Amino acid sequence: MKKTTTNNIYISVKPSYLSEKSDPSKPIYFFSYNIEIINQGQDTVQLKSRYWHITDGNGNIEEIRGPGVVGNQPFLKHGEKFEYTSFCPLPTEFGVMHGHFEMIDEHGKKFNAKISPFRLTIPFSVN
């Protein structure tokens, strides 16, 4: 599990390999990642958008930008948590993701809550 805190926004990521959705003969490998976001600051914040930088095992890069996460732009008061799970298909047995969530606080200040790099790997793979 990877953990990062930026401007009192705590983010943890727990990736998993989904063997039942993967098909190495294609090749396509599916990974899920569970994200937990906790507002440890005093101000209410809103998650406005996401940015992901995904690198597969061949060094190919994909960048993803979009509003919110899984159809939500949650508001988080002090101590509140938002959790979601999403997915990432890769053509290789491993890869790395990192990025940020664009947040805005109740005073209109925007900032990026960093998501540290985390690995997407199938169990027992060598990388």
Side-chain angles (χ1 to χ4, degrees):
M1 182 179 306
K2 279 290 188 175
K3 302 172 186 177
T4 311
T5 302
T6 309
N7 290 8
N8 295 311
I9 303 301
Y10 168 89
I11 299 171
S12 68
V13 182
K14 184 178 180 186
S16 298
Y17 174 60
L18 302 174
S19 61
E20 67 279 2
K21 293 188 180 277
S22 300
D23 185 350
S25 70
K26 294 219 188 262
I28 185 101
Y29 301 89
F30 275 90
F31 300 90
S32 70
Y33 52 93
N34 181 266
I35 303 276
E36 182 181 77
I37 305 163
I38 301 173
N39 181 3
Q40 298 176 328
Q42 296 303 311
D43 293 336
T44 297
V45 297
Q46 182 182 19
L47 189 159
K48 297 296 286 179
S49 65
R50 70 188 182 286
Y51 166 76
W52 288 113
H53 183 277
I54 306 163
T55 306
D56 70 21
N58 294 324
N60 298 311
I61 295 171
E62 182 178 5
E63 293 183 308
I64 309 247
R65 291 176 172 84
V69 290
V70 293
N72 294 289
Q73 291 182 316
F75 286 90
L76 297 168
K77 295 178 183 174
H78 168 73
E80 287 187 331
K81 171 174 77 170
F82 181 79
E83 191 170 357
Y84 76 95
T85 300
S86 193
F87 305 91
C88 179
L90 290 179
T92 58
E93 295 180 353
F94 61 92
V96 177
M97 287 180 67
H98 71 274
H100 64 259
F101 296 131
E102 182 184 288
M103 312 293 282
I104 186 166
D105 71 18
E106 61 191 62
H107 308 290
K109 178 185 168 201
K110 292 181 180 181
F111 63 94
N112 291 332
K114 181 182 174 184
I115 305 158
S116 291
F118 59 95
R119 289 180 169 199
L120 304 170
T121 59
I122 66 170
F124 311 111
S125 69
V126 177
N127 56 39

